[in-house]
Amino acid sequence: MEMKKYNQILIKNNNKKQVYQLIEDIPGISRTQIADQMKVSKTTVSALVDELMQEGYVVDEGASVSNRQGRKPNSLTVNSRDNVVIVLNWHKDSLEIGLVDSAMNITMCREYDMRNKADALAELGACFESFQESQCVGVKVMGVCVIVPGMIDERHDKIISVVLPAGEQGSYRISRLREMIKGYPLAILNDTACFAYAENAFGNLESKNYIYININDGVGAALLHGGVLLGGASGMSTQFGHVSVDRNGYPCMCGNRGCLENQIGELALPRLFEEFGLENRKIAGEKLLFKDLVALVKAGDAKAEALMAAMAEDLAYALCNAASLFHPEAVIIGGIGRKLGDTFLAMLKEKMGQMGFRQFVSDVDTEYTTLGEASVVRGAAKYYINQYFRFNDMDGSQLFCG
Ligand SMILES: [Zn+2]
């Protein structure tokens, strides 16, 4: 194809995507407002909107109620009734499959048992097939996302997870997962990245420069700069849980010492209880939880308070170092770490007020997330549409890692 012609098509497709994105982000927007925002002519916008309407992606809700100033412009919305993204949220013991409509609402969700499955990927494929046959009748599937609690290592064709049950050699191959999800474009995304992406899209966070920290058994983080996930959503770009807060500290599986994960992760609590002289009242096999620590602090246990303060200090130290590298405006804490509650957050803020590069750290607003667990599913769908979906060149064999 002639170069000039090719460029014209490229520009047109990009514009079309941008028009769609504006309609998705600002439901009820008019053609004139889109033209203003994109700095292109209204004729151009109208032609693209017509195309999007003919293809069934956008609907014109008609003129709003007229008033004395005259007829208001027609308002556009995405056609959320007919277009969906299927999102599989893969956990250790269960698999959730949800339908997210193109207005980013979860319209239905099913949960499947994944315990004791000899071949987790084959099971995932079978669950997907049955879901898709029963739930996706009469709708257009824009794509499929699989959220994994781990790293998506495209180069080595591997999903690396310490959370998912250890499968047989090669059982978490990316190429094999691709074979299990037939017929649709597929994006494999890291869970923390999807949670992080959801904050700006669905939370009350104004900032586009922030760190999202997922505190669970371990600790993960994702960095957003200008609303863009740094390094994408593969989980391969940061290992915040393995930032050392004590170079002579407790040795970690990763080879480093004093890793943040071993200082504040829930799995580290039994060791930390011992170090701080706290009695672990759990019976064998029962897990020590953040909320157990919180209960002790509430009851006025001085040792428990000392442990919580040490955890806050370690996290503050890691965050202040991250702030020096990255200058975020906000830190959002998600995961079960939220159970550490207000006392921990107050301690964390106090410690952050005492360390780090002052000019940067004093700008940072640190809060727990206000979004629920389901935000990961919406975050995945939104990221996939924004990042990968194209109107004119999608096919069922496409694979996007991160
Ligand atoms: Zn480590």
Side-chain angles (χ1 to χ4, degrees):
M1 195 186 302
E2 189 193 329
M3 200 58 179
K4 192 173 162 213
K5 179 105 176 152
Y6 178 76
N7 283 339
Q8 279 169 355
I9 291 172
L10 205 64
I11 291 166
K12 191 198 141 197
N13 286 347
N14 284 342
N15 282 343
K16 188 172 170 184
K17 180 74 188 288
Q18 216 181 329
V19 167
Y20 179 81
Q21 212 68 67
L22 281 167
I23 297 169
E24 186 199 301
D25 287 340
I26 311 166
I29 196 169
S30 70
R31 290 168 179 80
T32 313
Q33 287 167 320
I34 295 172
D36 287 348
Q37 290 229 14
M38 287 176 60
K39 298 186 172 56
V40 296
S41 74
K42 201 186 158 196
T43 323
T44 304
V45 171
S46 291
L48 293 170
V49 168
D50 284 349
E51 237 181 81
L52 285 165
M53 284 170 60
Q54 273 158 26
E55 290 163 6
Y57 289 111
V58 163
V59 286
D60 190 331
E61 303 258 273
S64 325
V65 181
S66 58
N67 60 16
R68 280 190 207 131
Q69 275 80 46
R71 210 185 74 133
K72 278 192 184 171
N74 288 17
S75 64
L76 301 166
T77 60
V78 295
N79 179 1
S80 58
R81 223 187 42 191
D82 295 337
N83 297 286
V84 297
V85 178
I86 305 175
V87 181
L88 293 80
N89 192 9
W90 190 3
H91 303 287
K92 178 166 153 262
D93 294 330
S94 67
L95 172 73
E96 286 158 33
I97 308 185
L99 270 191
V100 182
D101 69 24
S102 60
M104 297 300 143
N105 302 302
I106 301 172
T107 56
M108 80 96 50
C109 189
R110 281 274 156 83
E111 198 173 323
Y112 300 85
D113 191 355
M114 292 292 275
R115 284 172 301 177
N116 310 315
K117 303 295 178 198
D119 187 343
L121 268 188
E123 185 65 24
L124 182 142
C127 294
F128 171 75
E129 197 124 315
S130 92
F131 180 90
Q132 176 281 117
E133 274 168 16
S134 59
Q135 305 301 331
C136 301
V137 182
V139 289
K140 194 188 293 178
V141 177
M142 296 169 86
V144 177
C145 302
V146 176
I147 305 169
V148 294
M151 298 187 287
I152 301 115
D153 184 353
E154 189 173 16
R155 215 177 121 203
H156 298 105
D157 189 27
K158 265 194 304 201
I159 294 166
I160 304 160
S161 174
V162 292
V163 178
L164 296 174
E168 297 197 357
Q169 188 78 31
S171 59
Y172 296 145
R173 275 188 7 249
I174 291 168
S175 52
R176 187 150 179 264
L177 175 54
R178 174 64 280 194
E179 284 164 26
M180 295 296 162
I181 310 285
K182 290 182 196 81
Y184 302 105
L186 171 67
I188 310 174
L189 309 169
N190 168 262
D191 57 351
T192 301
C194 295
F195 273 120
Y197 198 74
E199 286 297 327
N200 181 255
F202 311 118
N204 43 24
L205 181 68
E206 293 283 319
S207 172
K208 290 184 182 298
N209 303 310
Y210 58 96
I211 303 179
Y212 180 92
I213 306 181
N214 200 357
I215 304 179
N216 287 305
D217 282 348
V219 177
L223 312 177
L224 275 98
H225 192 72
V228 174
L229 265 170
L230 283 184
S234 68
M236 293 288 286
S237 55
T238 56
Q239 279 295 323
F240 193 66
H242 297 276
V243 166
S244 176
V245 290
D246 178 3
R247 67 179 176 213
N248 301 311
Y250 187 77
C252 178
M253 272 173 12
C254 77
N256 201 357
R257 281 180 173 272
C259 289
L260 182 65
E261 185 157 294
N262 293 325
Q263 300 302 115
I264 68 162
E266 197 166 49
L267 279 183
L269 284 179
R271 195 194 84 242
L272 295 169
F273 264 52
E274 219 175 294
E275 280 179 23
F276 280 78
L278 280 157
E279 195 191 334
N280 181 351
R281 292 201 179 85
K282 297 277 168 161
I283 51 162
E286 223 186 358
K287 197 181 169 198
L288 200 52
L289 304 171
F290 286 136
K291 65 177 186 193
D292 300 322
L293 174 62
V294 172
L296 288 169
V297 171
K298 280 208 173 120
D301 188 315
K303 289 172 182 168
E305 197 172 313
L307 169 55
M308 189 182 269
M311 289 166 68
E313 188 164 3
D314 284 337
L315 179 56
Y317 185 59
L319 283 175
C320 287
N321 281 335
S324 301
L325 285 174
F326 176 67
H327 200 181
E329 287 150 0
V331 170
I332 308 293
I333 301 171
I336 43 174
R338 274 178 292 177
K339 302 251 162 73
L340 287 164
D342 294 341
T343 311
F344 178 77
L345 189 63
M347 286 173 172
L348 177 66
K349 287 181 175 185
E350 193 197 327
K351 301 290 182 189
M352 287 177 75
Q354 296 162 355
M355 51 174 89
F357 181 62
R358 302 307 319 140
Q359 197 193 327
F360 281 12
V361 178
S362 60
D363 291 343
V364 178
D365 186 20
T366 304
E367 298 296 341
Y368 289 120
T369 180
T370 55
L371 299 175
E373 288 299 306
S375 69
V376 71
V377 169
R378 300 171 71 206
K382 176 100 179 151
Y383 179 80
Y384 165 73
I385 296 294
N386 287 7
Q387 189 72 20
Y388 293 122
F389 185 77
R390 298 286 174 271
F391 289 98
N392 302 88
D393 50 6
M394 299 304 286
D395 72 69
S397 67
Q398 277 166 315
L399 173 67
F400 307 102
C401 292

